[in-house]
Amino acid sequence: MRRHGRRVSMGVLALMVAVGVAMEAGAAPGIVWERVEGIHGASVYSLAATPDGALLASTRSGIYRSMDQGESWTPFAFDGARTETIAVEGNVVYVSAAVGTRQLVHRSDDGGLAWSVADLNFVPRGLLVRDGVVYGVRTVGGGSMRVYRSADRGDTWTDASIGNATGVGVAVTDAFVYAVSHDTVYRSANGQDGWEAVGPNLVDDRLVSATTLNETLYVAGETTGVYRFDADGEAWTRAPLDGIEVEWLRAAGDALYAGTSDVG
């Protein structure tokens, strides 16, 4: 079976990764990168998929929607506003969007038609929702990395401190909550305590994002590509991107999308 994943760039282009039987020289087994069209003139910060097959992309000028797996895009919500991290589960959508001079987390219960403000007085990095639980990560004063969790759709939050690190992303599987810093990946069975570092230990690079696809963790190095974690074997496999700088990594449907800073 051949599974697909795509990447939307920070500028004009998109890149698709196919996860299946094909291979590219030097890549992780079964991973091939392929370039496709993206959003012209838009800086894309995050991506998510809805149950009807749509892709929602948060950009510096609002949310765009694609109904054809990223081949074409139309404005959808928060027209002209800076929107950053976005997360979707069912018809519930969470997005960080600017309202005036403030960047707030907004929630929609109808797929993005109507919005309300979630009770969160900061903007997290790597916002996601799984089984109704919302997660986010941020770095607070003094350099402490914290993972935030809400079991009531963003009305109330608990948080756990990991240590001195710069938080850039959070990802969840059935077995673990993963929190990603520039330096390494931490995991916890409950997302509250017992955090342990599991790598990868990159040389002359830093981690910038994380996501999961089919219960497998993927993280992005800024300049060295995408890394896949085998939780059973405790091993990492690299899928290089030929020197392209990666800004973020997201799973949408049965696909991986890696946002890059190239526009050519």
Side-chain angles (χ1 to χ4, degrees), residues 4-134:
H4 293 281
R6 300 190 176 191
R7 169 184 76 90
V8 178
S9 82
M10 295 295 291
V12 178
L13 302 173
L15 189 71
M16 183 177 74
V17 57
V19 185
V21 297
M23 293 181 63
E24 185 178 70
I31 294 183
V32 174
W33 295 100
E34 176 185 345
R35 190 176 297 274
V36 296
E37 191 64 28
I39 305 174
H40 285 276
S43 291
V44 179
Y45 298 121
S46 189
L47 194 78
T50 65
D52 62 359
L55 293 176
L56 300 180
S58 57
T59 78
R60 63 183 174 188
S61 56
I63 298 175
Y64 284 74
R65 180 172 65 175
S66 173
M67 299 301 297
D68 54 12
Q69 293 187 311
E71 296 298 330
S72 62
W73 299 84
T74 56
F76 179 66
F78 294 99
D79 186 33
R82 181 186 179 95
T83 57
E84 295 185 354
T85 184
I86 188 170
V88 174
E89 184 174 61
N91 288 322
V92 182
V93 184
Y94 295 85
V95 66
S96 164
V99 177
T101 60
R102 298 186 63 194
Q103 194 83 14
L104 301 171
V105 175
H106 299 256
R107 183 184 72 223
S108 172
D109 296 324
D110 55 12
L113 300 179
W115 298 87
S116 59
V117 177
D119 187 12
L120 192 62
N121 60 2
F122 65 88
V123 177
R125 296 283 300 272
L127 189 71
L128 72 85
V129 56
R130 181 184 173 104
D131 298 330
V133 180
V134 191

Side-chain angles (χ1 to χ4, degrees), residues 204-228:
D204 297 326
D205 196 11
R206 63 178 188 171
L207 299 174
V208 294
S209 189
T211 192
T212 58
L213 177 64
N214 298 328
E215 293 300 298
T216 298
L217 174 69
Y218 294 82
V219 299
E222 188 173 41
T223 60
T224 55
V226 174
Y227 297 79
R228 181 172 61 192

Side-chain angles (χ1 to χ4, degrees), residues 18 26 67 93 102-103 122 147 149 154 167 195 198 233 239-241 243 246 258:
M67 299 301 297
V93 184
R102 298 186 63 194
Q103 194 83 14
F122 65 88
V147 175
R149 180 180 184 273
W195 294 95
V198 294
L241 276 171
V246 179

